[in-house]
Amino acid sequence: MADPISVSGPVSGTDKTMTLESGLLAPQSQGAVVATLGGTKILVTANAEKSQREGIDFFPLTVDIEEKRYAAGIIPGSVFRKEGRPSDEAVLTCRLIDRPLRPSFAEGYRNETQIIGTVLGVDMENPHDVLAINAASASLMISGIPFEGPIGAVRVAYTTDGEWLPHPTYQEGDESTFELVVAGRETADGSDIAVMMVEAGGTEDAWRYYEQGAPKVTEEVIAAGLEASKTWIRESIALQREFVAAAGVREPLPFEAAADYGDDVYAKVAELGTDKLAQANTIVDKTERNAANDAVRDEILEALAAEFEGRDKEIKAAVRSLMKKVIRQRIVDEGVRIDGRGPTDIRPISCQVGLLPQAHGSGLFQRGETQVLNILTLGMPRMAMDITYKDSLNPTEKKRYMHHYTMPPFSNGETGRVGGTKRREVGHGLLAERALLPVVPSEEEFPYALRLVSEVLSSNGSTSMASVCSSSMSLMDGGVPIKAPVAGIAMGLVFEEGKYTTLTDILGAEDAFGDMDFKVAGTSEFITALQLDTKLSGIPADVLA
């Protein structure tokens, strides 16, 4: 067996060390890195197909996390004594890895690419999720896959003394008021860290700590946390670069940058469709607007069928690209959005409670065309979800407050498969769960298990934040003595010609054609949850602030 190549670096402000190692495990993998923090160890591999699948029009990146119970010295508690489907925590870790990595590959690269993280050991003190992000970046860096990294990531906890603590243990996180996971990359000139992903939320005991005098997590505190996180992101990036220099890089994977359409096609589409698409995208109603856009597309297809025979797919892609351009141009040049709102305007909101007489609580929240019904069910404490020996590689033993989210195809006026929970639904459910966690009364104050289910009945942007709002309503309708109501909203961003334009309460199309999806939830006094994704190479922290 080969001798491993190992590089270690201290985590400043702590007595911890992060280690990256390669050369011993998974020798046939294009990239393979074992990352260690404390007693927690994870193997992350990166592999890609040698060529692009014919006809593919998206980047097929897959991220999987294998949480085997042996990592904690545990035999699974299932009937067959083996692992089943991925836990919710594993799904969330996959999403944490995917989100900052996806926009960091070379432009036009569409070879099938797979990241697999195998948890080898956990000390029940140091989480493996953020470690996996750093290991995935390092694995890609040595694989030869066209990845424009490195990406560094850190979790920071806001202590009751008002300090940001890097890479906290589970206990340190529980003893804080807020945890912030940030991933970023260096800017082109190396002078700053551009933020690429944020996932954050308040802790279960945050309200109690606030009552005892701990500083509340406000917008200013979050801005300071993003700035503080740069120190440890830089350290991770520096460690990865040192590791790459020691381990070396495989032969670069050759690829042909994919183009959705030719310049000749786009020029003709723009000539025929610019004014018509601009007009269609002033229609406020989503269904009518989509129908108008489809009509314009079909008209262009018919007009160009003879000139570009056999290139219908290129024409459709060019139409979508042109639609994106006219929508963004109107926002930047005129300050007017698809539905006629200004950048800071919020859609009409309506609320209703007590819709379901048999439910313990129910709340219907509608913002524009987004509508979510939340249902509360109460149970005895024994109905709390027991996750010891079953679904988790962390010290958590049970969950008495649970939130589940479903978005059936009819919510978009479409048909589709029903059954099973998709990764997106798991992520949205956990985000809304995290947003309410700090205000849910303790078991001593309210000795019941609580299950909330958000049913998305109509979707046009920010259904997860609508789930937060409807959750607050159903809890209050059911008589649960929450500490304060919580509301949530999604912000967007358009970056054109060096100018950042922020959008409040984004539509689905603004999410699809914009550059950022920034969800924030909180009470009237403090923030309870955050989630940020971007399609840019990163967003300066001062823009987010």
Side-chain angles (χ1 to χ4, degrees), residues 381-401:
R382 60 185 174 81
M383 294 304 294
M385 186 167 68
D386 180 10
I387 55 182
T388 309
Y389 301 112
K390 291 184 177 68
D391 297 325
S392 179
L393 285 180
N394 65 51
T396 305
E397 295 183 354
K398 67 176 183 178
K399 283 174 66 174
R400 58 177 282 269
Y401 156 62

Side-chain angles (χ1 to χ4, degrees), residues 288-349:
E288 293 179 11
R289 183 173 63 252
N290 288 345
N293 281 319
D294 289 346
V296 173
R297 180 202 62 202
D298 293 343
E299 183 181 330
I300 294 172
L301 278 168
E302 184 178 353
L304 299 180
E307 184 175 355
F308 299 108
E309 187 176 355
R311 299 176 71 180
D312 285 5
K313 193 171 183 180
E314 289 186 56
I315 295 172
K316 290 178 182 178
V319 170
R320 180 175 173 82
S321 181
L322 180 61
M323 188 193 311
K324 176 179 178 178
K325 180 181 178 181
V326 298
I327 289 172
R328 291 166 64 95
Q329 205 69 48
R330 188 179 184 215
I331 291 170
V332 173
D333 293 346
E334 303 174 30
V336 180
R337 297 158 66 177
I338 298 173
D339 55 2
R341 286 183 293 151
T344 61
D345 294 338
I346 297 174
R347 293 171 290 175
I349 294 173

Side-chain angles (χ1 to χ4, degrees), residues 464-499:
S464 63
M465 294 298 95
S467 297
V468 171
C469 299
S470 59
S471 293
S472 282
M473 292 159 52
S474 68
L475 284 165
M476 290 186 287
D477 181 52
V480 179
I482 59 175
K483 306 298 183 181
V486 177
I489 198 165
M491 307 291 291
L493 185 76
V494 174
F495 178 62
E496 288 287 350
E497 300 172 1
K499 177 185 175 183

Side-chain angles (χ1 to χ4, degrees), residues 277-285 289 330 336-340:
L277 285 173
Q279 181 61 38
N281 283 286
T282 62
I283 298 172
V284 174
D285 183 81
R289 183 173 63 252
R330 188 179 184 215
V336 180
R337 297 158 66 177
I338 298 173
D339 55 2

Side-chain angles (χ1 to χ4, degrees), residues 241-253:
R241 287 191 169 136
E242 183 183 351
F243 170 73
V244 171
V249 180
R250 282 181 178 248
E251 190 74 22
L253 177 69

